[in-house]
Amino acid sequence: VQLQASGGGSVQAGDSLRLSCAASGRAFSNYGMGWFRQAPGKLREFVAGIRRGGGSTRYADSVEGRFTISGDNAKNTVYLQMNSLKREDTAVYYCAADRDLTDLINNYSGYWGQGTQVTVSS
């Protein structure tokens, strides 16, 4: 599985961004997919996940209500809509996929794409 993340950029606090993760093959149908992030000097952390084919979703407490993960089965792409961005959302964002979403979230298993930088300034 190959994953290509895009959509990062530099924005002001309160702005919105949408990240995209294009997957090879039929990854979105067959794999749980997630977004993770890593800020400078911090460990990588889970942000949002969606079960295979656009099933149930999960969010980190820090982004619940502000971020939305969704997918387009036809385009084999997963999105992360980020609203009301805060400075603390600044990080490199990664998309990842695993047949078991819980395994992906708990163990950072599966396949990973390259990151896309999100910078939020006040």
Side-chain angles (χ1 to χ4, degrees):
V1 176
Q2 295 182 322
L3 304 168
Q4 180 75 37
S6 61
S10 297
V11 297
Q12 296 289 314
D15 286 350
S16 299
L17 270 179
R18 188 177 79 159
L19 306 182
S20 300
C21 177
S24 63
R26 299 181 64 183
F28 182 66
S29 296
N30 298 322
Y31 289 77
M33 299 186 72
W35 287 96
F36 297 74
R37 66 186 181 187
Q38 187 166 17
K42 295 187 177 181
L43 297 175
R44 191 171 297 190
E45 64 176 359
F46 166 73
V47 175
I50 187 167
R51 294 202 181 277
R52 65 183 71 182
S56 60
T57 56
R58 288 179 59 182
Y59 296 92
D61 289 344
S62 59
V63 306
E64 181 86 52
R66 299 188 298 122
F67 291 11
T68 302
I69 187 170
S70 63
D72 185 326
N73 200 22
K75 294 182 178 180
N76 219 24
T77 299
V78 172
Y79 304 99
L80 184 68
Q81 177 66 42
M82 306 185 294
N83 298 330
S84 302
L85 282 161
K86 305 176 181 180
R87 285 188 64 183
E88 51 264 43
D89 294 319
T90 295
V92 177
Y93 284 70
Y94 299 88
C95 65
D98 193 295
R99 290 195 180 276
D100 187 319
L101 180 63
T102 300
D103 216 17
L104 175 62
I105 293 171
N106 292 338
N107 301 317
Y108 294 10
S109 57
Y111 303 91
W112 290 75
Q114 92 297 347
T116 185
Q117 176 72 46
V118 172
T119 303
V120 184
S121 57
S122 57

